[in-house]
Amino acid sequence: MSKVRKNKKFWLVLLLLVFVLIFFSVVVAFGRSIPAISPEKLDTDKTTFVYDRYGNVIARLYGEQNRVPVPLSRISPYLRQAVIATEDVRFYEHPGVDLKAIVRALWKNFRSGTVVEGGSTITQQLVKNSFLTPEKSWKRKATEAVLALKLEREYSKDEILEMYLNRIYFGHGTYGVQAAAQFYFGKDAAQLNLAESAFLAGIPKNPTRFSPFVDWKAAKERQETVLARMVDAGFITPAEAEVARKQPLHFREPRQETVYRYPDYIDVVIEEASEKYGIEPGQVFRGGFRIYTALDPKVQNSIEIVYSNDNYFPPGKPDQIVQSAMVVIEPGSGEIRGLIGGRHQQTLRGLNRAVDLYRSPGSAFKPIAVYAPALEMKISPETVLRDEPVNINGYRPKNADGRYRGPITMRQAIAYSVNTYAVKLLARIGVDTGYRSAQNFGFKLVPQDKGLSLALGGLTRGVTPLQMAAAYGVFANKGVWVEPHTILKIESAEGKVIGEAHPARRQVVSAQTAAIMTDLLRGVVQYGTGTRARLPNQPVAGKTGTTELPDLPEFRYLRGNKDAWFVGYTPQLVAAVWMGYDHTDAGHYLYTYGGQYPAMVWQAVMSRALAGVPRQEFPVPSYKGLGIKWWEGGVKKKEKKEEKQNDTPQGQTTTPVQVQPETGNTSGNNKDNENSNSPPPAQNTPSPSPSPSSPPTGKEEEEKSEKNNGQNSGTSTPASQQPPGTSSPDSG
C-alpha cells in the first residue's frame, strides 16, 4: 500500500473516531435530562388521524390492527436466530448500543457516498418505535442511544428480544411474529421451520417489497440473504442453508379485511410516511400523528364508483378476474388526488397495483422515449417516414394488421400508433437519446433496455401506473416533472410539524415541446386510437398502449394481449389506467385493447371527477423553428404535392388510412388495435360509449376497422378534429 493511501486511511479512521467520541459526549449530555423508562409506555397507543386536502378526517389509525403477543419460549429458535443474524448479530454482546457496528456503518456509508448500512441495534429499534418521534436530528439519535442503554439496564436480553419480536411489522397489517406466522403460513410462530423463519425475518426491512404477495422474486432473494447471514453468524451450516433455500414454501391465502375507507390510498400514505419521513408503519398506528394528504374525495369517490361496477371491465375467469389500477394526479403540484390498487380488494395492505405493479407500457411509452426527444431535437410533427417492413440489424417490428401505408407523418403515426414509424424515428435520434429521455421522465431503466424495442415499451422490468401518470404530467405542466406524493404535512401528537412536502422538480422538456406533444396527443383522442376517452366539456390528450402475449411456446397459437393502458390528461388532471391479469397464462389473457376498456374507465372516472369544473384550454403550441424534414429517400421534395394528395400505398384508394396500432414488447410486435376511426362517445352522459355493459370485443373492433377501410370518406372525422392542413384523418 502506498504512503499516500496509508495516510488517507489513517485520517479517515481518526475522523470516524472523533465523530464517535463527539456522538457519545452528546449522549451523556442528553442522558442526564432523560427520565426513567416507563414499561407501560411500550403498550401506550395514540390514534393517528389522516385528513383529505380540505382538512376532513378520512381515516383513524389506532393500535396494531393484528398483533398476538407470545412469550419467547413460543417463538421458533430458527426465527429468533434469523432475526438476530439479520438485524443485530451482536445483540447478546453489546450493552444496547453497538460501537463496533456504528463505526462499521459509518465507514461503509462514507466509502459508498450514501447510506448502505445502519448501526442501530435491536434495542435501539425497539426504543425508536415505542418512545420517540421520527424526526431526524442528532438530539433524537442521542436520546435513542441513551434510552437503549437504560432499557438494557431494566430488562434482560431475552425480555427485550421478546418485546421486539412481538412489535416488529411484517406487512399487510400484521405486527409481531405470531400474527405474521399465522398470516403468511397459517401456523403458530413456534412451528416455523428454517425456510419459513428466514423468509419472515427478511420482510421487516421493506414490508412492501419483500412480501411474497407483492414481489415473489425480491422476497425469495431476501430469504437467501438471511440464510447466508445465519451461516456467517454460525447459527446454521451451509448445507442446512442450501436445504432451506430449496424447500417449497406454502403460503396461506391472504384474507384480512381492511378497516378504513380509501384503503389503497391510505396504504400509500403509510408507505410514504415510512420511506420519506422515517415513520415506521408501526409508529403510524401508535404515534398519534396528524397526516394531511392531497386526497380529493370527489376524485377518489369517482374512481371507486367506477371500479365497483363490473360492467366497465372485461369478463374474467372463475378463478381470476381481470385486474386494473388507476392513479389521478394534479400535474402542476404532483399531488395524488386519488388512486385505486385493484378491483375487489380483500386484503389490508396487500398488492397495490397502482404503485407496486410493474408491467410493459406498450405504445404508451412512445411519447416518452421517441416523440418527445425527437421534438426536442427540432424534428417537425409533419416529418414524413415510410410505413413499410423494417429490418434493422435483425430487429423486425411489425404493425398488428400486417399492412403498411407508405409515407405518413409523425402526427398520423402517433394518432394511429404505428410501430414502424416509432422504431425508425428512434433509430434516427439514437437509442441512447430515447433511453436518457425515459430516465428524465422518472423511469428507472437498466442497460438491457437500450435497444430499438424501447420505442414500443419493451422494458426489462416495466412501469407502474403511478410512474406513467407522473410522466404524462410533464406534458400537462409545461415540460416540468414533479415528484408525485400523497402527504402534504405531518404533525406530531403535540402539534409539531415533523414533515412537509417539498417535491422534487425538474425541467424534462421545453414548454414548447410539451405543448406540441399535447397537440399531437389530442389527435389520439379526437380521431385516433383513443376516441373512447373523449370528454364532453374538457379537452383531452392521451395515448393508448397494449402489449401482446409473450413469445413463449404456451402462447404460440393464441391471439391476445397481456396488458392494456390508457394514459391521458386534461389541463387540470392527469390519470393512468392499467388493465390485465395478475398472472397471465394460456387460460388468462386479454382480448381488449388500450383504446377500449381502459379508455372507457378513464372517461367514466374523469367525467365524474371534473363534473361542474369550468372548461380550461391547453396552451397553444408554437411550431417556430420546426422545419419539415423529408427523409427515407423514397419521399422527395418534388413529390410533395402528390404525396399530400394521396399518401396511401400503391393499389389502395384515397379512403382515409386506417393505421392499426400495436403492442410493445421485446419482440417488437405491438398492437393497439383500437377504434381507429369510430365516432365519439355520446356527449350527454358521463358513462362511456358504447355502453359499458356490452363493449365491443377485439374481434368486433378489427372487423369495424376493416369495414371502415372500405367506406367512403364522406364519413370522415370532422375538420375540427383533424390534423392541421389535412382533409381527412389520415391524409398527409
Side-chain angles (χ1 to χ4, degrees):
M1 184 182 293
S2 67
K3 186 176 180 180
V4 174
R5 291 183 64 187
K6 287 182 178 179
N7 288 337
K8 184 178 180 181
K9 186 173 182 180
F10 170 79
W11 286 110
L12 287 174
V13 172
L14 182 62
L15 181 63
L16 289 173
L17 290 175
V18 171
F19 175 84
V20 171
L21 289 174
I22 294 174
F23 175 76
F24 277 97
S25 298
V26 175
V27 168
V28 172
F30 282 116
R32 297 169 182 167
S33 61
I34 296 176
I37 291 176
S38 171
E40 294 78 15
K41 190 172 182 180
L42 287 169
D43 294 308
T44 299
D45 298 331
K46 297 178 182 177
T47 298
T48 289
F49 294 90
V50 183
Y51 302 84
D52 65 18
R53 67 189 302 255
Y54 301 110
N56 302 310
V57 175
I58 56 174
R60 292 175 172 83
L61 311 178
Y62 48 89
E64 290 99 340
Q65 305 295 333
N66 182 15
R67 181 164 73 95
V68 184
V70 291
L72 196 64
S73 60
R74 288 179 53 192
I75 299 174
S76 168
Y78 288 127
L79 183 54
R80 283 181 263 163
Q81 293 171 345
V83 170
I84 290 173
T86 305
E87 300 293 336
D88 185 3
V89 71
R90 285 169 35 86
F91 173 69
Y92 280 100
E93 300 172 28
H94 61 67
V97 177
D98 190 350
L99 179 60
K100 183 177 179 180
I102 291 175
V103 173
R104 182 180 64 247
L106 288 172
W107 176 253
K108 287 186 176 182
N109 296 339
F110 183 85
R111 294 188 65 183
S112 66
T114 184
V115 179
V116 296
E117 183 176 320
S120 293
T121 65
I122 283 176
T123 312
Q124 287 176 275
Q125 292 179 51
L126 177 63
V127 164
K128 181 181 70 173
N129 292 334
S130 300
F131 295 96
L132 303 176
T133 64
E135 65 175 324
K136 297 179 180 180
S137 66
W138 288 112
K139 179 178 179 180
R140 191 204 66 79
K141 196 66 179 175
T143 303
E144 175 188 300
V146 172
L147 289 177
L149 294 171
K150 289 190 174 185
L151 192 68
E152 292 263 356
R153 290 201 300 267
E154 298 186 23
Y155 294 92
S156 69
K157 285 288 188 179
D158 284 350
E159 288 174 324
I160 291 173
L161 182 60
E162 179 182 304
M163 288 187 285
Y164 178 78
L165 292 175
N166 278 304
R167 285 165 177 78
I168 192 170
Y169 181 63
F170 286 91
H172 302 285
T174 58
Y175 296 81
V177 293
Q178 177 70 356
Q182 292 174 341
F183 178 82
Y184 288 103
F185 298 110
K187 58 174 64 174
D188 290 336
Q191 301 171 320
L192 295 171
N193 59 35
L194 175 57
E196 294 164 341
S197 296
F199 205 99
L200 283 187
I203 293 176
K205 180 178 177 63
N206 190 325
T208 297
R209 182 185 176 196
F210 296 132
S211 165
F213 306 127
V214 175
D215 190 335
W216 164 252
K217 182 180 178 181
K220 182 62 178 175
E221 290 175 352
R222 178 65 178 163
Q223 180 213 33
E224 294 173 2
T225 298
V226 173
L227 288 170
R229 291 184 179 180
M230 293 181 73
V231 172
D232 293 340
F235 291 136
I236 59 175
T237 66
E240 289 174 315
E242 183 63 16
V243 171
R245 186 183 69 82
K246 295 180 179 179
Q247 184 172 345
L249 294 165
H250 304 286
F251 296 101
R252 179 186 181 186
E253 185 71 20
R255 296 186 181 280
Q256 187 176 6
E257 297 294 331
T258 185
V259 293
Y260 42 73
R261 293 177 66 195
Y262 311 139
D264 293 341
Y265 193 98
I266 300 301
D267 286 351
V268 176
V269 170
I270 294 172
E271 292 303 322
E272 192 174 307
S274 174
E275 294 176 4
K276 292 186 179 180
Y277 300 101
I279 307 176
E280 298 297 329
Q283 288 180 288
V284 173
F285 284 90
R286 297 193 304 267
F289 302 103
R290 290 192 285 272
I291 304 177
Y292 298 88
T293 75
L295 183 139
D296 187 329
K298 183 179 179 183
V299 174
Q300 184 66 34
N301 288 331
S302 297
I303 297 173
E304 301 204 4
I305 288 172
V306 172
Y307 271 72
S308 66
N309 186 345
D310 291 343
N311 289 329
Y312 283 102
F313 301 89
K317 303 291 184 177
D319 62 327
Q320 193 180 160
I321 65 172
V322 174
Q323 271 296 352
S324 183
M326 184 175 190
V327 178
V328 181
I329 297 176
E330 183 184 71
S333 65
E335 295 173 2
I336 301 175
R337 296 294 189 220
L339 64 79
I340 195 164
R343 299 174 58 205
H344 309 313
Q345 294 282 60
Q346 295 181 340
T347 63
L348 177 66
R349 309 204 65 202
L351 174 60
N352 193 329
R353 298 166 188 82
V355 297
D356 297 328
L357 185 84
Y358 287 82
R359 291 294 184 92
S360 171
S363 291
F365 213 61
K366 290 176 180 176
I368 294 161
V370 181
Y371 294 120
L375 293 173
E376 283 287 278
M377 297 172 69
K378 303 303 181 183
I379 295 176
S380 168
E382 306 311 321
T383 295
V384 173
L385 296 177
R386 294 191 67 89
D387 176 20
E388 61 187 0
V390 174
N391 183 349
I392 304 177
N393 297 324
Y395 181 61
R396 298 179 175 87
K398 298 178 181 179
N399 294 328
D401 58 1
R403 296 189 299 110
Y404 301 94
R405 287 91 188 158
I408 60 173
T409 65
M410 181 194 299
R411 188 179 296 276
Q412 291 171 279
I414 291 174
Y416 301 117
S417 206
V418 180
N419 285 350
T420 59
Y421 191 106
V423 172
K424 281 187 173 184
L425 187 56
L426 180 60
R428 289 283 182 174
I429 67 174
V431 171
D432 286 344
T433 299
Y435 184 88
R436 288 193 300 269
S437 176
Q439 289 180 314
N440 289 337
F441 273 89
F443 297 97
K444 296 180 180 179
L445 306 184
V446 296
Q448 292 86 341
D449 295 328
K450 286 188 178 182
L452 290 175
S453 62
L454 180 69
L456 310 182
L459 304 177
T460 302
R461 188 183 185 194
V463 301
T464 68
L466 177 61
Q467 290 176 327
M468 290 298 287
Y472 272 67
V474 170
F475 304 133
N477 190 38
K478 299 180 180 180
V480 178
W481 179 87
V482 185
E483 181 184 15
H485 57 284
T486 61
I487 296 175
L488 304 180
K489 183 174 64 174
I490 303 178
E491 294 179 352
S492 67
E494 295 74 30
K496 180 181 177 181
V497 176
I498 58 176
E500 200 160 6
H502 298 288
R505 296 172 178 269
R506 61 174 175 269
Q507 191 81 38
V508 176
V509 297
S510 68
Q512 180 194 33
T513 292
I516 296 173
M517 195 74 250
T518 294
D519 185 41
L520 299 177
L521 292 175
R522 290 189 70 179
V524 174
V525 178
Q526 290 173 334
Y527 55 85
T529 63
T531 56
R532 287 185 176 89
R534 293 174 183 166
L535 294 176
N537 299 313
Q538 298 288 349
V540 178
K543 185 71 184 73
T544 56
T546 312
T547 65
E548 64 183 8
L549 293 174
D551 186 17
L552 298 173
E554 65 175 309
F555 302 116
R556 184 163 296 165
Y557 301 107
L558 301 177
R559 183 179 182 184
N561 302 312
K562 183 178 180 181
D563 305 289
W565 296 79
F566 184 81
V567 189
Y569 55 98
T570 68
Q572 303 92 343
L573 297 172
V574 57
V577 176
W578 166 84
M579 210 170 282
Y581 281 100
D582 283 341
H583 306 287
T584 302
D585 54 35
H588 304 86
Y589 56 90
L590 296 176
Y591 296 98
T592 192
Y593 302 84
Q596 294 178 344
Y597 282 99
M600 291 161 56
V601 167
W602 191 96
Q603 195 272 350
V605 170
M606 297 296 277
S607 62
R608 288 172 169 82
L610 294 173
V613 175
R615 179 184 176 92
Q616 295 184 26
E617 299 296 339
F618 289 119
V620 177
S622 168
Y623 290 91
K624 184 179 180 181
L626 294 180
I628 294 178
K629 296 181 180 180
W630 299 94
W631 285 345
E632 294 298 303
V635 181
K636 301 177 181 179
K637 290 184 178 180
K638 67 180 182 180
E639 299 173 324
K640 180 176 178 181
K641 183 176 180 180
E642 179 182 352
E643 299 283 359
K644 292 187 71 174
Q645 293 174 346
N646 179 12
D647 68 356
T648 58
Q650 189 174 3
Q652 289 190 13
T653 67
T654 57
T655 306
V657 179
Q658 300 300 312
V659 180
Q660 300 287 353
E662 40 55 272
T663 30
N665 57 18
T666 53
S667 68
N669 291 332
N670 233 5
K671 54 183 178 183
D672 275 344
N673 241 11
E674 305 136 305
N675 194 24
S676 58
N677 197 22
S678 60
Q683 302 295 299
N684 59 351
T685 174
S687 63
S689 178
S691 169
S693 61
S694 58
T697 64
K699 183 177 180 181
E700 291 170 344
E701 193 62 24
E702 291 168 5
E703 291 174 352
K704 181 170 67 174
S705 179
E706 291 171 359
K707 291 177 182 178
N708 283 344
N709 283 336
Q711 289 176 350
N712 185 277
S713 60
T715 59
S716 62
T717 308
S720 62
Q721 299 175 359
Q722 298 173 12
T726 65
S727 58
S728 72
D730 301 301
S731 59

